[in-house]
Structure formats: structure tokens, C-alpha cells
Amino acid sequence: METVEMNSVSLKRPRSEDDVANADEIKRQKTSEKSKTENNSGQNIETVTEQPDKSLLEDTKNEIIPREESEEQEDEDLEDSDEDGDPESFADMMKHGLTESDVGITKFVSSHKGFSGILKERYSDFVVHEIGKDGRVSHLDDFSVPVDDEDPSEETFTVLSDEDKQRLEELQLLKNKETSVAIEVIEDTKEKRTIIHQAVKSLFPGLETKTEDRDGKKYIIAYHAAGKKALANPRKHSWPKSRGSYCHFVLYKENKDTMDAINVLSKFLRVKPNIFSYMGTKDKRAITVQEIAVLRITAQRLAHLNKCLMNFKLGNFSYKNHPLKLGELQGNHFTVVLRNITGTDDQIDQAMHSLREIGFINYYGMQRFGTTAVPTYQIGRAILQNNWNEVMDLILKPRPGAEKGYLVKCREEWAKTKDPAAALKKLPVKRCVEGQLLRGLLKYGMKNIISAFGIIPRNNRLMYIHSYQSYVWNNMVSKRIEEYGLRAVPGDLTLKGATAVHIEEGDVDKYTIHDVVMPLPGFDVIYPKHKIGEAYKEMLVADNLDINNMRHKIRDYSLSGAYRKIIIRPQNVNWEVVAYDDPRIPLFTTDLDKLEGKPLPVLPTDGKFRALKMEFSLPPSTYATMAIREVLKMDTSIKNQTQLNTTWLR
């Protein structure tokens, strides 16, 4: 497992002497607040920071960056209970992780003095609203359900007993040998029978029903209409022709990533997850609002989930004739609270004005590269080099750093025996990349690593080589800014439509740094004509790769390349500094708060702590943490945070 998650990160710069007095005062405030809480409640409750669950500083972006482990509901209890030691040992283990300079993140574009703050002290401090392809920001502001005469009555959802639902679910999922389920009609009326028929068909796609007389009693008999195919292809003939085939809705979720949410919804609806579609994934440690589409599930049935699901709300329902596609969104709008900030009002204003007017370097963020001693880009480089023994070794070998205990045991077993079956026995969670590769080796043998590696889902495999591209891009952009600064120069690249062209000497005054793009290495891109073009070649030569031959023997691993702006200027930038006394209270209202009529807590004019509330919109494939890095002037890596300020871990 390459990624580790971090719940609360203190984004703290290395302290100079003039920071010490301020930092000591903050520490006294924290200690005082903690003591008060202990005295008042009798419990040791840290009111300034939360205990970490060793999770990666998660960022919300519109690009799909597959996880190396699909975290489904069944694994959560197991993973959460597997602790890796006390916070101090975690901080010690993170010494083996990456810093920003390890992946080429070295430059800033602003001139203001940096300051400290805490990002995601509460997951509700990080709120993301999706911006659709029409430019509208998604909000949850309506729970009403479209009126449709074809919809079943509310009684449909309650007419079946829990025992009936259990038996029907087992029948639907082919979990037993029964070919049908009989439900006795207690109140034998046509209306009652109709409701039961509707309930079975709407709640359990793929089941048909009929009425039978048995010993003078009426029974509704449920049976399979299309076998296993029924789950992937919901009943078509029962859907009104006048209604769009897809129900679009806004999903509001707290502390869950998008795929986890889809898995939960599909489980409760008893359908396959692949009938859902969306424009982009949203990360776990945040409150996020995004549009989802689902095939042939009624708004009424979706709305019913609001009564039984925690941390989710569904609303703004509509029927349309099309699903959603990945990448269709225009971007995301972020509302971020940085708590316990140390900057002066002037420093903050300078930082935010710079963010609004100049922007930030469009680096790929730290989560792109993993957090252990084996970065994902190293595995990507080995794939591009066609060095499959190294790919296997990098994924499976023991490594220092923070990992789940069962992964450590699995790696130790692999190092000792090189036996896939023995190593697999040490893994209670089989869907991680390590487990998938070991299953592949068990199936295809140690001499066919390529096929074994192919068992890993395609998106996860491609993540490695995309990580290498990102590693090269970050390093080259840092060199470009160091060499030529924040101005367009002859030999730079800019886009004319979708085509990259070189900026010529006579045209250079027509362009600014915001027009300049840099290529991700591949066979279908051109490179700058100045020194940085040569630097690309030199970097790839040092990695035993040929920049003029980025096609791989295996088509999936051939890199076509792409272009990426080197500076991003956020839109809709606003900020406010607020004072507060209680670190546990929210500092703004969410969509759900507004729907439920919850007022914003009254904040003191002169509180013990200060927070920076900031809002901004970003285009697809950009990282909010890189914007925040530019504001605070700090290193966002977990390694750096745990070494600079471990007080948040205690």
C-alpha cells in the first residue's frame, strides 16, 4: 500500500527566532485549553488537534488518481483497528518518507513572508463544491422529489418485513439454492397485492413476481427473470418511456471518498456500482458536494436513503437521458479554514493578494507520489524501463516507514520465502496492490511478472507511470522558473487551441507566464527550445530512458504526453480572518446546515485563536494543497510536518 492518510496536518514553517515567542504563546494556549477540558470533563480531550489516523494529507482535485487499495465498506473496520503504534513512533517512521524537494517541488512565486496554520484540523474545515461543465457550482439545496405518476407509493418501502427483504436479497444475489421466494398476502386485497408486487420489483431489480393460490391463501412469488445479468442491467421494461433513463442527483458527503460512497449506495440499493457515473472523484477527509447519475433508479427510491444513511445526503433530483462522464467538470470550488494561524493581517493580505493576482506553481501534489520509502514514480520508471523484476521488488520488498502491520508481515514473509502463497496468507485485505500482484504471481508464476502485474486494475497500473511523468514535470518546472523567472521567454511553449507552439523572439511580448505550458514526457509532445528542452533529455537519459522513444512494448504503458500550465491563477478568491475560542466549533455553514436551518456559531471579536477562511476555484487537474502551500510558504509533505511540529500528534 503506497498511500497513507493524515487527518490533521499542522502546516508549520521552520521557525526563526522571531517566531519563538509567538509559538510559545500558542503552546501555552493549547496547554491551558487542554487542561480546562480535562478539569471540566474528567477526560483527556485534546481540543486543539485531533489524533491522526496516519492518513495522507488528502487534496481534492478533478483528476482521477486511483488509490492503490480500493477501500470498500467491508475492510474499514479491519483497517481502522490495525494501529501502527503511538504518534511518536509514527513521526519517527515518517522520517523515511518524501519531502517536496524529493519530487521537484522547490519554488514559490510570491514574495510575502510565510506563516503557520493547521489544515484539516476538522474534516469540515475543507469543503469542496464541484463546478459542472455549464459553469454552475453544485449545491445541495433541495430535498424534493420530482412528481411522477409512475412512482410507487411510500408504502412500497415499508410493506415488506425485514425477513422478507433478507430472503429476497439472497434470492436476488443468488446466495442460496432457492429458485423463488413466497410472500403471504395477509390482507388479501388487489391494492395490497399490487403494492407488494411494486415493492419487490422496485427494491430488488432483476426479480419478477406473480400471484399464486396455495391452500386457500394468496402468495406473491418472486423469482429471477434474467439470472446474474439482471444486476448489471436493471429492469428496462418497467421504466416509463417518457422519463429520462438516468436520475441525476447531488451527493453531499462527509469524510468519505467518492468510491466508498458509491459502494455504500449500491449496497443499500442492491445494484452494481457500475450503474453510477460521475465527473470526478472527491477525497475522503472533507465535506464534498458533487453531481452523480444512476441508471434507472427512481428519485423516490434514492431520497428514501436519506432516512437510513449517515454522512450522506442526496437531493436536487432530476431525470435526464445521459450519464455523466469523467473529466466533464470545469473544476472545483474550495472553502478552506486554516486554524491557529500565526501571520499578521498584513502578511495574510499580501499572501492572498498574491494568490489572486499571480497564482501558484501548478505542481503535482505530494499524494501523487506516495508517502513511504518507495515512491510511486520509482515503480513507474521501472515499468518504462521494462525492468519487471525491479517492479515486483519495489512493490513487495520490505520498506521503512509507516505502514499497516499486516503489510509489514506480508513483506517480511516475501523477503524470507519469495513464496506468493505464504505472503498472501499474511494479508487479511486482499484488494491492495500487493495482494493483487501476489495473486498474479501465484496464477502465472515468477517467470511471467508482466501477466501477474496485469491483474492489478488498469487505472492503478497507469498511476505508476503517470507518477513518473509528474515527477519529471515538477523537476523541469522548478528548473524553468529558476532559469527564466516569471516571464515568457523565447523557446517557451504555449497552446493555440489544443496544439502547442513555440514562442518566437518577435512575439514574446504578446505572452505572460500564465500562457506558458510545459510538457509531460511522451511520444506526442514537443519540448521547449531553450535550456529546459535539453534538461528533459538529460533527466530521462539519467533514468535510462529515451525521450525520442516513449512507446512501450506493451501498449498500455506507452506515454503520449500532455501539456500543463506552469502557473495557475485561482478564480473567485476571497478570504477573511476570524477569531475563535473553541477549536471544535465550525467556522462557516455547509449546504446541509443551511437546509436544516442551523445558525452559524457566534464568534468572539477577540478570541484566543485566529483562523483564515479562504475560498477559491480551481480548474481540473490542479491541487488545492499547492495553492495553500503558496499562501503559507511551507512544505506540505508528511515527513516535514511530523519533524517540524510533532505537538499535533500528542
Side-chain angles (χ1 to χ4, degrees):
M1 190 189 304
E2 304 294 333
T3 60
V4 182
E5 297 174 351
M6 180 179 291
N7 268 357
S8 163
V9 176
S10 176
L11 301 181
K12 190 178 180 76
R13 300 169 58 253
R15 295 189 298 180
S16 59
E17 290 183 7
D18 59 352
D19 291 330
V20 171
N22 192 22
D24 287 345
E25 177 59 26
I26 293 166
K27 187 173 181 181
R28 283 195 296 273
Q29 290 172 351
K30 290 184 178 182
T31 304
S32 172
E33 185 69 20
K34 183 175 179 180
S35 298
K36 288 178 183 177
T37 307
E38 290 176 7
N39 291 339
N40 291 339
S41 67
Q43 296 177 348
N44 184 359
I45 301 172
E46 175 59 70
T47 62
V48 177
T49 55
E50 299 174 358
Q51 286 285 357
D53 65 355
K54 307 169 186 64
S55 58
L56 171 65
L57 168 61
E58 293 187 47
D59 189 15
T60 304
K61 63 254 168 235
N62 300 331
E63 183 177 51
I64 307 307
I65 299 181
R67 291 174 177 241
E68 291 195 35
E69 180 176 345
S70 73
E71 298 171 340
E72 296 187 15
Q73 193 73 18
E74 302 91 278
D75 288 338
E76 288 184 355
D77 292 340
L78 174 62
E79 293 199 13
D80 289 344
S81 65
D82 188 7
E83 295 298 331
D84 290 323
D86 57 43
E88 285 76 19
S89 67
F90 174 62
D92 187 60
M93 286 189 290
M94 284 315 303
K95 292 175 184 176
H96 302 285
L98 295 171
T99 63
E100 287 184 347
S101 60
D102 292 330
V103 294
I105 302 173
T106 59
K107 300 296 180 183
F108 295 98
V109 296
S110 52
S111 58
H112 71 275
K113 182 180 178 182
F115 53 92
S116 299
I118 301 176
L119 172 64
K120 294 188 180 182
E121 182 172 31
R122 300 164 54 88
Y123 68 77
S124 55
D125 286 346
F126 200 91
V127 179
V128 189
H129 290 87
E130 190 171 70
I131 304 172
K133 59 182 178 181
D134 58 0
R136 288 189 299 177
V137 179
S138 292
H139 283 280
L140 180 75
D141 53 21
D142 185 5
F143 283 142
S144 65
V145 175
V147 177
D148 194 327
D149 293 337
E150 302 278 353
D151 281 334
S153 67
E154 184 64 25
E155 193 178 353
T156 297
F157 298 97
T158 58
V159 69
L160 298 173
S161 68
D162 289 341
E163 182 183 352
D164 288 337
K165 290 178 181 177
Q166 179 69 30
R167 292 166 60 214
L168 288 165
E169 181 175 1
E170 290 175 354
L171 174 67
Q172 181 202 38
L173 300 177
L174 304 171
K175 287 186 175 180
N176 55 31
K177 295 180 180 179
E178 288 187 52
T179 56
S180 64
V181 167
I183 301 168
E184 184 180 356
V185 183
I186 305 299
E187 302 171 24
D188 183 17
T189 63
K190 185 176 181 180
E191 291 76 13
K192 193 70 172 182
R193 293 198 301 273
T194 299
I195 291 171
I196 296 175
H197 283 295
Q198 288 179 337
V200 173
K201 292 177 180 180
S202 62
L203 297 179
F204 300 91
L207 295 185
E208 290 284 3
T209 57
K210 60 184 178 181
T211 305
E212 284 187 3
D213 282 310
R214 293 183 180 179
D215 301 325
K217 295 180 180 179
K218 282 280 197 308
Y219 288 87
I220 305 296
I221 309 300
Y223 59 96
H224 257 293
K228 293 182 179 179
K229 293 181 180 178
L231 291 178
N233 300 291
R235 298 166 43 80
K236 294 184 179 179
H237 62 274
S238 65
W239 195 264
K241 292 181 180 178
S242 60
R243 181 197 288 166
S245 294
Y246 295 88
C247 185
H248 288 231
F249 62 95
V250 169
L251 172 66
Y252 170 103
K253 62 180 182 64
E254 299 182 358
N255 212 25
K256 283 277 185 187
D257 69 27
T258 301
M259 279 313 303
D260 285 340
I262 295 298
N263 287 333
V264 171
L265 295 178
S266 61
K267 180 179 178 182
F268 274 82
L269 293 168
R270 301 179 181 87
V271 295
K272 292 286 188 182
N274 62 6
I275 70 170
F276 291 87
S277 58
Y278 43 87
M279 294 182 287
T281 60
K282 303 290 179 282
D283 284 326
K284 178 179 178 180
R285 191 162 173 78
I287 291 175
T288 70
V289 182
Q290 69 183 118
E291 188 175 352
I292 305 286
V294 60
L295 176 64
R296 297 180 186 272
I297 300 291
T298 65
Q300 186 184 28
R301 191 171 165 202
L302 291 166
H304 193 72
L305 295 179
N306 285 332
K307 300 176 182 178
C308 49
L309 292 179
M310 292 182 63
N311 300 327
F312 300 109
K313 288 295 177 184
L314 287 62
N316 297 79
F317 302 102
S318 62
Y319 292 109
K320 299 181 182 179
N321 289 316
H322 58 84
L324 295 170
K325 295 180 181 177
L326 287 171
E328 281 185 327
L329 73 175
Q330 276 194 19
N332 283 320
H333 184 73
F334 297 86
T335 305
V336 178
V337 169
L338 300 176
R339 292 184 184 250
N340 206 8
I341 55 171
T342 62
T344 65
D345 288 346
D346 282 346
Q347 284 177 312
I348 293 165
D349 284 344
Q350 287 176 30
M352 294 307 298
H353 276 107
S354 177
L355 183 67
R356 176 191 281 170
E357 293 161 15
I358 301 174
F360 63 97
I361 304 173
N362 193 20
Y363 286 125
Y364 288 96
M366 292 302 296
Q367 64 274 42
R368 184 79 161 179
F369 307 102
T371 58
T372 68
V374 180
T376 51
Y377 73 80
Q378 290 184 4
I379 300 170
R381 180 169 55 202
I383 293 170
L384 295 174
Q385 292 169 341
N386 217 31
N387 188 344
W388 293 99
N389 281 311
E390 185 174 356
V391 171
M392 177 180 68
D393 189 45
L394 287 171
I395 293 175
L396 295 178
K397 71 179 182 181
R399 58 181 70 170
E403 283 201 306
K404 294 291 183 184
Y406 53 77
L407 270 173
V408 173
K409 293 173 185 174
C410 171
R411 296 187 194 287
E412 289 172 349
E413 183 66 32
W414 173 256
K416 185 170 63 177
T417 66
K418 290 292 188 289
D419 181 348
L424 262 176
K425 288 181 180 178
K426 303 291 184 180
L427 273 182
V429 178
K430 299 294 194 291
R431 285 186 297 276
C432 59
V433 163
E434 292 81 3
Q436 290 160 339
L437 178 56
L438 287 168
R439 282 204 305 273
L441 293 170
L442 202 57
K443 180 176 181 178
Y444 294 105
M446 298 285 287
K447 294 184 179 180
N448 195 350
I449 300 171
I450 295 176
S451 295
F453 184 71
I455 279 188
I456 298 169
R458 182 175 183 271
N459 280 347
N460 291 35
R461 287 182 276 123
L462 297 184
M463 176 191 66
Y464 292 119
I465 56 175
H466 292 159
S467 176
Y468 178 73
Q469 283 181 303
S470 305
Y471 171 71
V472 173
W473 194 90
N474 280 359
N475 278 279
M476 292 299 100
V477 166
S478 290
K479 282 183 179 293
R480 159 64 182 77
I481 290 174
E482 181 176 351
E483 188 71 33
Y484 300 111
L486 297 179
R487 59 190 177 91
V489 298
D492 273 334
L493 292 169
T494 189
L495 291 178
K496 293 279 183 70
T499 305
V501 296
H502 290 104
I503 296 176
E504 303 298 336
E505 182 83 46
D507 296 328
V508 72
D509 291 338
K510 298 178 183 177
Y511 299 98
T512 71
I513 192 66
H514 296 99
D515 300 311
V516 177
V517 299
M518 293 269 282
L520 289 116
F523 60 76
D524 197 25
V525 294
I526 60 174
Y527 295 88
K529 282 184 177 177
H530 46 55
K531 292 180 182 178
I532 306 305
E534 287 302 313
Y536 270 95
K537 295 177 183 176
E538 291 167 6
M539 185 171 183
L540 267 68
V541 166
D543 287 339
N544 294 315
L545 295 171
D546 181 358
I547 201 168
N548 297 313
N549 183 20
M550 298 302 288
R551 295 186 186 274
H552 197 278
K553 293 178 181 178
I554 301 169
R555 186 177 178 182
D556 264 359
Y557 310 137
S558 289
L559 294 177
S560 60
Y563 299 100
R564 180 176 175 89
K565 284 195 171 186
I566 67 174
I567 301 291
I568 289 292
R569 188 160 43 192
Q571 301 298 305
N572 308 310
V573 178
N574 291 289
W575 68 94
E576 177 188 7
V577 176
V578 298
Y580 63 101
D581 287 320
D582 184 353
R584 294 168 297 185
I585 63 170
L587 299 181
F588 56 85
T589 52
T590 66
D591 286 359
L592 186 58
D593 292 335
K594 293 172 185 175
L595 272 170
E596 295 178 346
K598 291 183 180 177
L600 186 68
V602 178
L603 299 175
T605 55
D606 187 22
K608 288 183 293 186
F609 309 113
R610 295 161 68 240
L612 171 60
K613 291 167 57 179
M614 53 197 296
E615 289 190 59
F616 52 89
S617 299
L618 293 179
S621 190
T622 52
Y623 289 72
T625 47
M626 293 296 100
I628 294 165
R629 168 188 182 269
E630 186 69 43
V631 169
L632 296 180
K633 290 284 185 75
M634 53 61 192
D635 184 324
T636 60
S637 68
I638 299 175
K639 175 178 180 178
N640 191 62
Q641 302 313 316
T642 52
Q643 289 180 346
L644 287 178
N645 181 19
T646 58
T647 58
W648 67 273
L649 286 165
R650 291 177 188 149

